[in-house]
């Protein structure tokens, strides 16, 4: 891959958790730029099929990234269908809303469930995708969170899982270079079904964030598209928070 903007035309891009919110916006934008998208979700199979049928050359593969054996089956299906993989976007995640002072509610089962999806299953996918990404001189894009950088977020286990994903990003950027670039975005509040009843947090963004609003899913997908198309970038963790990280 040279120094020119990385072309997306004919790129094969896996986006985990792409029937809703940020994942869906990325699927739509990257498809518009000519990429073939592999749409995924653990439920909402009809929605996934419908979205994939609307996007040219795209495919829906249903299943939870946490299922035993899913990562190898998923990547195998992509390679069988397209013969290559250029970008893995790790977007699927889970959380539980727990006030940070309520230590008892953040019990071990909660830590396990959140880390299982946000870190362990995500790393599993990376492991299975890496040989194919090395071959295509491809890249990994992790959807982290401002909660992985600042003392904020829906719960301490969630914030810690995103901090882990951020460090995994920097470690892999070194370990997989020069063939594979690895970057992450770290959004603050984004208006998606995940946060639809987070009115107090939204009001706080409107009041306090320098840009005076929460993000749209499209704000995130524009940044992801730019990072994917920036050939000299690896190991970057890019906050996207309307400046909120500056003020708390
Ligand atoms: N919204 C925010 O304010 C915000 C801020 C910072 C970071 N983020 C991050 O952005 C990413 C997307 O969040 P979002 O707000 O767009 O959420 P969302 O609208 O709830 O979408 C989540 C997507 O992930 C899928 N999914 C969930 N668990 C999955 C699993 N185990 N396997 C496969 N797919 C799964 C969901 O479909 P199914 O339910 O059918 O599985 C859905 O398609 C997450 O990594 C989140 O941590 C969000």
């Amino acid at each position: 891959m040279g120094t020119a903007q990385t072309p997306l035309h004919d790129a094969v891009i896996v986006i985990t958790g792409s029937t809703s919110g940020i994942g869906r916006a990325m699927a739509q934008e990257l498809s518009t730029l000519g990429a073939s998208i592999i749409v995924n979700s653990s439920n909402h199979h009809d929605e996934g099929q419908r979205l994939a049928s609307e996007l040219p050359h795209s495919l829906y593969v249903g299943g939870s990234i946490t299922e035993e054996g899913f990562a190898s089956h998923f990547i195998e299906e992509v390679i069988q269908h397209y013969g290559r993989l250029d970008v893995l976007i790790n977007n699927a995640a889970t959380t539980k809303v727990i006030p940070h002072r309520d230590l008892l509610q953040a019990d071990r089962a909660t830590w396990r469930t959140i880390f299982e999806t946000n870190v362990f299953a995500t790393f599993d996918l990376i492991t299975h995708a890496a040989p194919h990404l090395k071959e295509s001189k491809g890249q990994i894009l992790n959807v982290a969170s401002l909660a992985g950088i600042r003392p904020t977020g829906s719960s301490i286990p969630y914030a810690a899982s995103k901090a882990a994903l951020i460090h995994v990003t920097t470690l892999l950027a070194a370990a997989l270079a020069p063939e594979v670039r690895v970057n992450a975005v770290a959004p603050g509040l984004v208006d998606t079904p995940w946060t639809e009843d987070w009115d107090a947090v939204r009001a706080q963004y409107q009041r306090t964030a320098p840009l005076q609003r929460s993000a749209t899913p499209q704000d995130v997908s524009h940044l992801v598209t730019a990072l994917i198309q920036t050939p000299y970038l690896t190991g970057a963790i890019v906050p996207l928070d309307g400046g909120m990280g500056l003020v708390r």
Side-chain angles (χ1 to χ4, degrees), residues 9-153:
H9 195 65
D10 295 335
V12 175
I13 303 184
V14 163
I15 309 177
T16 63
S18 39
T19 53
S20 168
I22 295 166
R24 187 184 181 88
M26 292 189 290
Q28 287 168 327
E29 179 164 345
L30 291 166
S31 169
T32 304
L33 296 170
S36 303
I37 309 295
I38 298 87
V39 176
N40 157 258
S41 64
S42 63
N43 297 299
H44 305 99
H45 299 301
D46 292 348
E47 188 52 42
Q49 298 280 12
R50 197 172 321 123
L51 178 61
S53 71
E54 286 165 15
L55 307 176
H57 317 297
S58 294
L59 177 72
Y60 173 69
V61 180
S64 170
I65 63 165
T66 59
E67 272 168 37
E68 190 69 36
F70 180 76
S72 71
H73 150 80
F74 188 25
I75 300 299
E76 219 167 88
E77 194 164 338
V78 171
I79 298 303
Q80 265 177 21
H81 192 92
Y82 295 100
R84 59 182 294 131
L85 173 62
D86 297 284
V87 185
L88 169 64
I89 302 183
N90 290 304
N91 174 70
T94 192
T95 193
K96 185 172 172 189
V97 178
I98 305 173
H100 291 196
R101 286 170 188 273
D102 188 349
L103 305 190
L104 283 177
Q105 224 200 115
D107 57 15
R108 198 175 292 199
T110 303
W111 279 90
R112 283 204 177 111
T113 303
I114 292 176
F115 266 68
E116 192 60 49
T117 307
N118 301 5
V119 185
F120 307 152
T122 297
F123 195 81
D124 226 13
L125 270 170
I126 291 170
T127 304
H128 285 88
H132 305 288
L133 294 171
K134 280 193 174 174
E135 211 173 304
S136 65
K137 305 243 181 313
Q139 50 186 305
I140 296 166
L141 194 294
N142 293 323
V143 179
S145 171
L146 190 65
I149 304 173
R150 310 285 300 175
T152 179

Side-chain angles (χ1 to χ4, degrees), residues 96-233:
K96 185 172 172 189
V97 178
I98 305 173
H100 291 196
R101 286 170 188 273
D102 188 349
L103 305 190
L104 283 177
Q105 224 200 115
D107 57 15
R108 198 175 292 199
T110 303
W111 279 90
R112 283 204 177 111
T113 303
I114 292 176
F115 266 68
E116 192 60 49
T117 307
N118 301 5
V119 185
F120 307 152
T122 297
F123 195 81
D124 226 13
L125 270 170
I126 291 170
T127 304
H128 285 88
H132 305 288
L133 294 171
K134 280 193 174 174
E135 211 173 304
S136 65
K137 305 243 181 313
Q139 50 186 305
I140 296 166
L141 194 294
N142 293 323
V143 179
S145 171
L146 190 65
I149 304 173
R150 310 285 300 175
T152 179
S154 44
S155 66
I156 288 180
Y158 173 78
S161 76
K162 292 298 188 176
L165 183 60
I166 284 171
H167 202 48
V168 164
T169 303
T170 56
L171 292 165
L172 287 178
L176 299 181
E179 294 93 345
V180 183
R181 300 195 289 113
V182 190
N183 296 293
V185 293
L189 183 69
V190 188
D191 298 332
T192 70
W194 179 307
T195 59
E196 68 190 348
D197 57 356
W198 295 15
D199 294 339
V201 189
R202 192 162 294 104
Q204 194 189 5
Y205 265 76
Q206 288 159 359
R207 227 178 21 248
T208 320
L211 296 188
Q212 299 178 346
R213 65 172 177 87
S214 45
T216 64
Q218 288 71 28
D219 287 322
V220 184
S221 89
H222 294 339
L223 174 61
V224 166
T225 300
L227 298 189
I228 288 176
Q229 293 185 289
T230 304
Y232 194 56
L233 189 75

